Amino acid sequence: MSKHVGKSVTRVDGFDKAAGRTKYYEDRVPSDALYVRIKHAERAHAMVKSIDTAAASAIPGVVKVLTCFDVPDTPFPTAGHPWSMDPGHQDVADRHLLNRHVRYWGDDVAVVIAENEVAAMRGVRALTVEYEDLPFVLDAQKAMEEGAPQLHERFPRNILKHTDMRKGDYAAAIQEEGLIKVEGWYDTPTVQHCHIENHGCFAYEENGRVVVVASTQIPHIIRRVVGQALGRPWGDIQIIKPYIGGGFGNKQDALYEPLCAWCTTQVGGRCVRIDCAREETFVSNRVRHAIRFHIVSWLRPDGTFAARKVECYSNQGAYASHGHSIVAKAMGSFPQHYPCPNMECDAWTVFTNRPAAGAMRGYGMPQASFADESNIDDCARAVGMDPMEFRRKNIMPVGYHDAFSGNTNYFDTYNQCMDKGAAFIDYARKRAEFAADTGPVRRGIGLATFWYNTAVYPISLETSSNRMLLNLDGTVTMQCGETEIGQGADTAYAQMTAEAVGLRSYRDVHVVSCQDTDITPTGLGAYASRQTYVAGFSIRQTAELLKEKILKYACEVTRQAVHNMDIADGNIIRKGDGQVLMSLSELAMTAQYNPVHSEHITAESTYTIRNNAYSFGCTFAEVEVDIPLCKVTLKKVVNVHDCGSLINPALAEAQVHGGMSMAIGYGLSEQLLFDEKTGKPLNNNLLDYKLSTFMDHPRLEAEFVENAEPTSPFGTKALGEPPACSGAPAIRNAILNATGVAIDRNPINPHVLFAEFTKAGLIRDEWQEGKEE
Amino acid sequence: MSNQYKLVRCNINGKDVEKVVDVRASLTDMLRNDYRLTSVKKGCEVGECGACNVLIDGEAFNSCIYLAVWAEGKHIRTLEGLLGPNGELSDIQQAFIDETAIQCGFCTPGFIMSAVEILESGKEYTDDELRKLLSGHLCRCTGYENILRAVKKTMYKRLGKPIPQ
């Protein structure tokens, strides 16, 4: 019976955050730090011919001006992936600290370093950049055409990578008689993470090494990338990660840490700071890949699939960043979600003159889910089946095994999740009732499902390292390579550690939250939905080692055999009768201060995880569509997740709420727009970019199906990203149910609805007049 | 003294203070840099996100678009001012912890100060009204759901009424 795991305890960092004491990078910048401000190109595609720095250098307070002509010619990759010993699997090194070849509007061409922010900003404005303009391209498919503007010499037709998947014989399968063809093009937008803390960092030299304090999800990976960018040994670099104000994948990339590190080396090691403004965060950090899908489904009249074809065109933007991994994951979701004997899937990642796309919560899955789940509803309609029944018939069955990942669908999770969601939303009754709506305002119910891989095995290394120290008061200090970024990881780790060691309270675990690559065991950071899952392995293993050491020492003191003892409630007990032999504090004090055999009891270990786990779930949405106003009101929404056993139900529920909110924005309002004539971003601020506000949600309902994951030491699996996956298509399908109009692009905002409703003949004059009365 | 700088006298978290500040500085800059009140967060610096929200004479303001010199003679409250002398949390801060309304914590100070304004009005608001009153703050972690629960719970507690189902 677990004592700490599975309980809704409050966050270990809750007090400080509620008191406003938690320190983020900007709260730790020394007051004498120099300001680095960046000159961003005002061209979508160009070569920098020259930069006149004279006027900027003359501004009082300006210390130094550095341009793209000054940086080392050592390209580096930025993606927050573990290093691969296989050169063929390493990330594309296509970045320089500053760029002569401008590849998107907002690219970095120069910096001004100054004693104060005003001087730095005036300096940036005083720079005169002479460009040689080049033609540009914003659309992925257009960028693949012959003769399209070329971004990187090494990648003809701008194709970063193409992969495919073939199963059965698609061409032969579609010859079967009586098949119904359901074809669609589904377009997903460029969106941004919009963590409320912008990315920023500061850097200085100390004892000949470079220290960078950064708002990042991946301190150890940043250390390697900074070393690569500066051409310095990795041991020369120290990265410190304080608390961060959200990441969602944007900070799973080297953003301005390498540039900041280089700048300090250019001003004699003085402290320099880079603080992204919100407008820069939207454009010059990372965005979510806009992916266009072409799906052709061939159905039998009984509602089974004969064959499916899927093409994915992923808009990478200007630089490789996480590159093809995102669309590869998206494409890989199709054959497993709805297994079909004959499939042809292709995915292309294509450079365009837009901001670089990288990791974002869901890593290709919100895109794939929008396309796949839209097409599935279209299929259900084509054969006259209820969309939930259609899914039950075709979805990944119990016992399904994926040979590549080793994942198995152990339980009847999908049906359990759909049952719960349908019950909450009152699916059957409401769909029947809403079918009678024929007026200008119509209601509808939609659903969508998803599956999600918890960690990144076997595509990349999965490893977790952990260190535990028995303190003299019997508490345990714990360090872990997986980082807290707001999700509540530290609290889950404290609960798991207390459970595995046998402590009285999770508060008896002190998680060292702020990571320092000089101190923290090497880890990969916060990404995928791996934190709790992978940390669970190293926590369990390290706790066993710590216990072994504790009990071995206790054997000397108590003369009880090691195997006859255990640790419970912070005491060493005799197993047979449960007698308390001594407290952990007594043991720690005795061990530390024993004049004959002194020992400071610690344990450290690395666990290489060679498992992965399917996480599942669904969204049900109820909408009210005002056709004349082209307005969708989300009336009710529920997410149901099977993320295995919950470590902390309250924190899990909170995670789901956040993901649902992101999915609602993705479905209805969020998109980063670009001027077709210039490539300039049009709405890179929080006023014009429509992030969901407090007013844009109904009550968010989160429910769970807890099927303990057999591969996990604590029965847990992915929850970080899954809540962002199925919301948008559920809303889309609810609108389809309400109006009969299938919208194949998101966000489904009034502009899109007006065009689609007009096309469908739903915009009627009498309704418009009715509104005016 | 040049025109660039000006003495600003005000009351911050119950204490009369004065400092010479750059006339171009925002109240956010003054609170963070001159008084080290780092609960005042910067998320956009143009009044869009609400992270820098403080109370000025009892009213919530985005301090990033409020000049420091305008604070002359004002009473300013930041999240630091809510903590009791022995580190006791106020009811609304505790409610944010208990209702899991905090994740990354970056929007939290701004939200709590708006909540204080709402709670100190002594009025009873509907959910829709609360949503509107809190809509000047953006949050990417929580979906706002638990923040609403925390504010609502504290509002009814202060009103001495049970939370309506």
Side-chain angles (χ1 to χ4, degrees):
Chain A
M1 188 61 198
S2 55
K3 186 174 155 60
H4 306 294
V5 158
K7 305 281 190 297
S8 288
V9 296
T10 56
R11 294 177 67 105
V12 294
D13 52 6
F15 182 96
D16 275 26
K17 285 180 173 175
R21 279 181 184 170
T22 302
K23 295 282 184 281
Y24 302 80
Y25 94 90
E26 205 184 349
D27 306 327
R28 296 167 52 147
V29 182
S31 56
D32 61 348
L34 301 174
Y35 287 80
V36 180
R37 289 296 177 261
I38 301 162
K39 171 71 180 173
H40 297 288
E42 289 164 321
R43 293 289 191 284
H45 199 193
M47 295 300 292
V48 176
K49 303 298 289 177
S50 67
I51 300 179
D52 185 346
T53 61
S57 302
I59 290 170
V62 168
V63 173
K64 197 149 196 172
V65 181
L66 296 161
T67 75
C68 52
F69 299 100
D70 301 318
V71 297
D73 189 22
T74 47
F76 57 94
T78 64
H81 290 146
W83 182 249
S84 176
M85 298 301 286
D86 168 13
H89 198 69
Q90 287 167 8
D91 291 305
V92 176
D94 64 352
R95 283 274 187 170
H96 285 85
L97 294 166
L98 298 166
N99 300 294
R100 285 183 234 182
H101 186 169
V102 169
R103 294 185 175 92
Y104 72 98
W105 189 292
D107 213 340
D108 312 325
V109 297
V111 292
V112 175
I113 306 175
E115 284 162 4
N116 60 74
E117 190 174 12
V118 175
M121 288 166 77
R122 285 179 62 202
V124 166
R125 267 182 233 140
L127 293 171
T128 311
V129 184
E130 190 195 345
Y131 297 102
E132 178 191 325
D133 284 320
L134 297 169
F136 66 91
V137 60
L138 300 176
D139 182 89
Q141 282 181 284
K142 283 184 186 148
M144 292 168 72
E145 288 169 6
E146 283 303 334
Q150 184 74 29
L151 271 83
H152 297 268
E153 269 178 32
R154 282 198 286 150
F155 299 99
R157 288 172 57 217
N158 296 310
I159 299 171
L160 171 59
K161 203 166 178 180
H162 165 237
T163 52
D164 62 8
M165 195 284 307
R166 296 287 182 269
K167 202 170 133 191
D169 188 341
Y170 176 84
I174 65 171
Q175 302 302 323
E176 186 180 320
E177 225 162 279
L179 293 182
I180 301 156
K181 182 182 178 187
V182 181
E183 181 175 9
W185 284 87
Y186 305 92
D187 246 317
T188 61
T190 297
V191 294
Q192 220 270 336
H193 315 68
C194 298
H195 33 70
I196 304 303
E197 182 206 30
N198 291 308
H199 165 70
C201 49
F202 61 97
Y204 52 93
E205 287 184 342
E206 194 171 74
N207 298 322
R209 298 167 75 222
V210 179
V211 184
V212 187
V213 181
S215 179
T216 180
Q217 301 172 219
I218 45 166
H220 284 92
I221 293 175
I222 294 294
R223 175 189 222 181
R224 182 256 297 168
V225 176
V226 170
Q228 286 175 297
L230 270 57
R232 302 262 303 246
W234 303 356
D236 274 10
I237 315 296
Q238 180 184 1
I239 307 292
I240 296 169
K241 189 228 82 161
Y243 285 97
I244 80 168
F248 309 110
N250 187 34
K251 298 170 185 173
Q252 192 207 333
D253 225 294
L255 297 170
Y256 285 118
E257 297 92 341
L259 181 60
C260 198
W262 180 67
C263 285
T264 187
T265 67
Q266 301 303 299
V267 291
R270 292 170 72 183
C271 185
V272 295
R273 60 188 291 177
I274 294 182
D275 318 271
C276 287
R278 178 59 62 184
E279 293 75 10
E280 289 176 296
T281 298
F282 270 107
V283 178
S284 302
N285 283 191
R286 302 293 176 269
V287 295
R288 188 191 288 287
H289 290 77
I291 305 181
R292 181 177 298 142
F293 297 86
H294 179 213
I295 305 178
V296 188
S297 295
W298 297 87
L299 287 159
R300 300 187 186 92
D302 68 352
T304 56
F305 285 111
R308 284 187 100 191
K309 182 191 181 85
V310 181
E311 293 167 341
C312 324
Y313 303 91
S314 182
N315 193 325
Q316 180 54 51
Y319 295 99
S321 178
H322 284 248
H324 195 62
S325 349
I326 280 112
V327 75
K329 180 162 185 164
M331 179 181 81
S333 73
F334 286 86
Q336 297 182 55
H337 199 176
Y338 297 97
C340 160
N342 303 290
M343 289 195 81
E344 262 187 34
C345 303
D346 286 88
W348 291 268
T349 296
V350 190
F351 288 113
T352 68
N353 297 106
R354 300 219 283 190
M360 183 169 167
R361 191 179 201 172
Y363 213 77
M365 222 46 130
Q367 295 96 313
S369 185
F370 183 80
D372 199 6
E373 289 297 278
S374 295
N375 184 259
I376 290 296
D377 252 50
D378 297 348
C379 286
R381 259 176 109 75
V383 292
M385 272 178 79
D386 174 86
M388 184 161 64
E389 291 316 309
F390 185 88
R391 284 177 173 81
R392 289 189 198 273
K393 196 178 177 110
N394 287 291
I395 211 157
M396 180 197 292
V398 180
Y400 182 90
H401 180 76
D402 178 53
F404 179 65
S405 64
N407 284 353
T408 301
N409 181 6
Y410 302 100
F411 308 98
D412 195 17
T413 296
Y414 272 123
N415 285 316
Q416 293 165 351
C417 288
M418 283 192 277
D419 288 345
K420 250 189 159 164
F424 175 82
I425 212 97
D426 201 1
Y427 182 83
R429 191 188 66 78
K430 280 196 178 159
R431 272 182 78 100
E433 184 192 325
F434 297 170
D437 288 355
T438 52
V441 178
R442 299 180 194 175
R443 295 163 298 169
I445 302 276
L447 82 145
T449 61
F450 72 89
W451 72 268
Y452 204 84
N453 263 339
T454 299
V456 298
Y457 176 83
I459 293 168
S460 292
L461 168 70
E462 263 311 356
T463 177
S464 175
S465 294
N466 205 283
R467 183 183 297 141
M468 292 182 192
L469 159 68
L470 180 66
N471 295 312
L472 297 176
D473 60 357
T475 61
V476 170
T477 294
M478 193 278 252
Q479 289 176 292
C480 184
E482 283 60 61
T483 67
E484 171 67 56
I485 63 167
Q487 78 281 56
D490 285 352
T491 307
Y493 300 160
Q495 290 178 263
M496 293 192 292
T497 303
E499 189 77 45
V501 176
L503 302 177
R504 194 172 297 123
S505 162
Y506 77 109
R507 294 278 178 184
D508 289 339
V509 180
H510 308 300
V511 181
V512 180
S513 186
C514 292
Q515 296 196 325
D516 179 335
T517 54
D518 275 11
I519 299 167
T520 317
T522 301
L524 302 175
Y527 60 80
S529 293
R530 58 190 288 278
Q531 312 302 295
T532 309
Y533 182 73
V534 302
F537 289 92
S538 68
I539 287 172
R540 178 68 82 187
Q541 177 174 277
T542 310
E544 292 297 329
L545 290 172
L546 187 76
K547 271 178 82 167
E548 198 182 305
K549 287 191 180 178
I550 291 169
L551 295 180
K552 218 166 141 192
Y553 204 103
C555 172
E556 284 184 34
V557 183
T558 65
R559 299 181 194 173
Q560 300 295 316
V562 167
H563 61 260
N564 275 347
M565 291 184 290
D566 201 354
I567 304 172
D569 273 341
N571 292 313
I572 294 158
I573 58 162
R574 190 162 59 194
K575 273 192 210 162
D577 57 2
Q579 190 191 325
V580 174
L581 302 171
M582 66 194 304
S583 69
L584 279 177
S585 169
E586 286 171 300
L587 184 277
M589 290 290 281
T590 306
Q592 182 69 55
Y593 295 112
N594 185 324
V596 184
H597 172 196
S598 170
E599 190 177 339
H600 118 121
I601 297 177
T602 70
E604 179 163 352
S605 78
T606 299
Y607 193 99
T608 313
I609 297 105
R610 299 177 69 199
N611 302 104
N612 209 330
Y614 280 131
S615 188
F616 302 103
C618 62
T619 304
F620 282 73
E622 178 185 330
V623 299
E624 187 178 277
V625 186
D626 185 320
I627 295 169
L629 280 180
C630 296
K631 191 176 172 211
V632 175
T633 307
L634 185 60
K635 304 293 284 185
K636 233 175 161 182
V637 62
V638 60
N639 263 37
V640 189
H641 291 269
D642 180 0
C643 56
S645 307
L646 300 175
I647 305 299
N648 184 319
L651 280 176
E653 185 192 27
Q655 277 250 289
V656 174
H657 292 156
M660 290 173 78
S661 172
M662 199 176 261
I664 293 167
Y666 195 55
L668 292 173
S669 61
E670 290 181 41
Q671 61 181 332
L672 194 55
L673 296 164
F674 300 89
D675 180 11
E676 292 293 328
K677 291 196 188 97
T678 60
K680 184 183 175 181
L682 293 170
N683 59 336
N684 51 325
N685 61 72
L686 290 171
L687 188 65
D688 299 314
Y689 179 93
K690 298 300 178 191
L691 192 68
S692 293
T693 75
F694 228 123
M695 308 278 288
D696 299 311
H697 295 158
R699 192 168 87 91
L700 303 174
E701 179 75 15
E703 297 197 2
F704 297 94
V705 169
E706 287 190 72
N707 290 318
E709 167 57 36
T711 61
S712 158
F714 294 93
T716 184
K717 55 187 181 179
L719 188 65
E721 296 163 284
C725 293
S726 52
I731 294 168
R732 180 266 189 196
N733 291 338
I735 296 167
L736 171 63
N737 180 239
T739 64
V741 180
I743 316 277
D744 293 338
R745 61 182 311 121
N746 61 322
I748 305 172
N749 59 21
H751 310 74
V752 170
L753 287 174
F754 181 72
E756 294 292 333
F757 287 163
T758 303
K759 213 161 54 181
L762 284 177
I763 303 291
R764 296 183 200 157
D765 289 346
E766 68 267 24
W767 285 351
Q768 301 295 352
E769 284 157 15
K771 280 276 153 190
E772 282 162 18
E773 277 163 16
Chain B
M1 206 186 320
S2 75
N3 290 339
Q4 186 76 68
Y5 300 97
K6 205 175 163 189
L7 183 71
V8 176
R9 295 188 196 86
C10 58
N11 181 292
I12 301 179
N13 294 329
K15 200 173 143 193
D16 289 329
V17 292
E18 55 179 48
K19 275 221 166 131
V20 174
V21 303
D22 191 318
V23 297
R24 299 167 300 183
S26 67
L27 180 58
T28 304
D29 289 338
M30 182 179 92
L31 293 172
R32 284 183 59 86
N33 301 338
D34 299 323
Y35 293 97
R36 299 300 295 163
L37 295 167
T38 54
S39 78
V40 183
K41 296 299 181 206
K42 289 154 64 176
C44 69
E45 294 192 83
V46 286
E48 292 160 355
C49 77
C52 64
N53 173 51
V54 300
L55 297 185
I56 302 173
D57 289 345
E59 201 181 334
F61 277 92
N62 285 323
S63 64
C64 70
I65 48 172
Y66 191 98
L67 283 175
V69 292
W70 294 346
E72 177 69 30
K74 306 281 192 210
H75 281 71
I76 295 159
R77 288 164 73 196
T78 71
L79 184 56
E80 284 87 347
L82 290 193
L83 214 58
N86 299 310
E88 309 93 332
L89 292 174
S90 62
D91 54 357
I92 184 66
Q93 289 169 297
Q94 190 60 50
F96 265 66
I97 296 173
D98 294 341
E99 297 303 315
T100 325
I102 300 170
Q103 289 191 40
C104 82
F106 206 77
C107 71
T108 307
F111 260 116
I112 292 182
M113 295 316 289
S114 273
V116 167
E117 185 192 22
I118 290 167
L119 295 167
E120 289 183 354
S121 75
K123 290 182 191 156
E124 181 178 347
Y125 294 103
T126 64
D127 283 8
D128 283 349
E129 287 167 337
L130 286 177
R131 284 180 182 276
K132 193 165 183 184
L133 287 166
L134 292 163
S135 65
H137 298 270
L138 294 174
C139 170
R140 195 56 143 167
C141 299
T142 66
Y144 310 104
E145 189 63 39
N146 292 348
I147 294 173
L148 181 69
R149 288 185 199 173
V151 176
K152 195 172 158 181
K153 179 176 139 179
T154 312
M155 178 180 78
Y156 280 106
K157 215 165 149 191
R158 285 203 193 179
L159 291 169
K161 291 184 184 178
I163 300 176
Q165 289 310 308

